[in-house]
Amino acid sequence: NVNHRSRYAISVNGQYPRTSVDVSEYEKDYFQFDMLSYVCAFLNAEALRQVGLVNKDYFIYFDDTEHSLRLKKWGALYCVPAIRILHDELLRKSQDVSELSWRDYYADRNEMRMLKAHHVESYNVLREYILRMVFASSRDQGLTVKDKVTLEALKDAQGDRGGMHAVYRPGWNPFDNHGKLPFPWWWKLSYLRVRVRSAIKHRVQKR
């Protein structure tokens, strides 16, 4: 799965700050990249002694990717495409409310925590992208359950909160908990700050 190896990719128009390695690179004998998940990885023992183990505070998701970023500071990360492993993976067919899971909170929170710790420019791009998308969708239909999960994840990433969330844990149901979901009051202020910064940046570029 090419999605398991990624690079930073800050685009000019401020879109998603992380991109998977292009499939064409797997035709090479080897190549370097920035981060990975540990679906198939060989780790240097000395590197582990230097940087430590994965951060258990991530609970699930991106604990391995964050760890790989720490390893990259010790030495380069290489992929050798000739080495292969079969990995069963459950793929979702949609992003309907019925497809939401308690795991989505951790996927969002931990990716943002990781970027905030290791690549703040990417974190800022992703944060602005999320706020813009949520604001655009909520103007017509209000905050959806997915929006609330994402915004709660963003708030906790911003506060560097880890571990298991009080609401999003095994057994959480988006229908049963709709009325109990935390409603982040701060997101409007955050979005306004994003708009102000973008306006200032745009004016500076025009001069």
Side-chain angles (χ1 to χ4, degrees), residues 7 21 23-32 79-82:
R7 293 193 180 100
V21 173
V23 65
S24 63
E25 296 203 44
Y26 288 84
E27 300 299 324
K28 301 177 181 179
D29 292 334
Y30 61 89
F31 59 84
Q32 292 189 47
C79 175
V80 182

Side-chain angles (χ1 to χ4, degrees), residues 56-176:
K56 64 180 181 180
D57 200 36
Y58 274 58
F59 182 50
I60 59 169
Y61 293 141
F62 288 98
D63 51 338
D64 48 359
T65 310
E66 188 277 333
H67 188 243
S68 73
L69 287 171
R70 282 187 276 141
L71 289 174
K72 190 174 186 295
K73 295 177 181 178
W74 186 86
L77 303 179
Y78 286 93
C79 175
V80 182
I83 301 175
R84 303 192 179 191
I85 187 172
L86 294 177
H87 175 232
D88 291 333
E89 186 174 21
L90 178 63
L91 299 178
R92 297 184 187 179
K93 295 181 180 180
S94 71
Q95 280 297 320
D96 294 337
V97 172
S98 60
E99 296 291 333
L100 287 178
S101 164
W102 60 274
R103 296 171 180 266
D104 292 306
Y105 162 81
Y106 298 97
D108 292 342
R109 182 197 71 181
N110 291 345
E111 180 173 20
M112 289 183 282
R113 281 189 71 195
M114 175 189 72
L115 292 175
K116 183 170 178 280
H118 294 280
H119 203 271
V120 69
E121 185 181 3
S122 292
Y123 166 76
N124 289 333
V125 169
L126 181 57
R127 179 173 175 272
E128 180 174 340
Y129 175 76
I130 289 172
L131 290 172
R132 286 181 180 277
M133 294 298 292
V134 170
F135 181 81
S137 64
S138 65
R139 282 185 296 183
D140 296 326
Q141 59 186 6
L143 288 179
T144 65
V145 178
K146 174 57 179 172
D147 289 337
K148 292 181 180 181
V149 172
T150 301
L151 289 173
E152 181 72 2
L154 176 56
K155 179 168 69 72
D156 287 346
Q158 189 167 308
D160 202 30
R161 299 181 183 91
M164 185 180 289
H165 192 275
V167 174
Y168 308 118
R169 52 181 62 220
W172 175 76
N173 186 306
F175 294 106
D176 294 342

Side-chain angles (χ1 to χ4, degrees), residues 29-61:
D29 292 334
Y30 61 89
F31 59 84
Q32 292 189 47
F33 52 93
D34 293 327
M35 63 196 92
L36 77 155
S37 65
Y38 289 168
V39 172
C40 178
F42 294 92
L43 307 181
N44 184 294
E46 181 57 30
L48 288 175
R49 283 189 282 269
Q50 294 294 325
V51 306
L53 301 176
V54 297
N55 185 351
K56 64 180 181 180
D57 200 36
Y58 274 58
F59 182 50
I60 59 169
Y61 293 141

Side-chain angles (χ1 to χ4, degrees), residues 178-191:
H178 188 105
K180 300 178 182 178
L181 286 174
F183 191 93
W185 56 266
W186 52 271
W187 76 273
K188 292 182 180 178
L189 179 59
S190 296
Y191 180 72

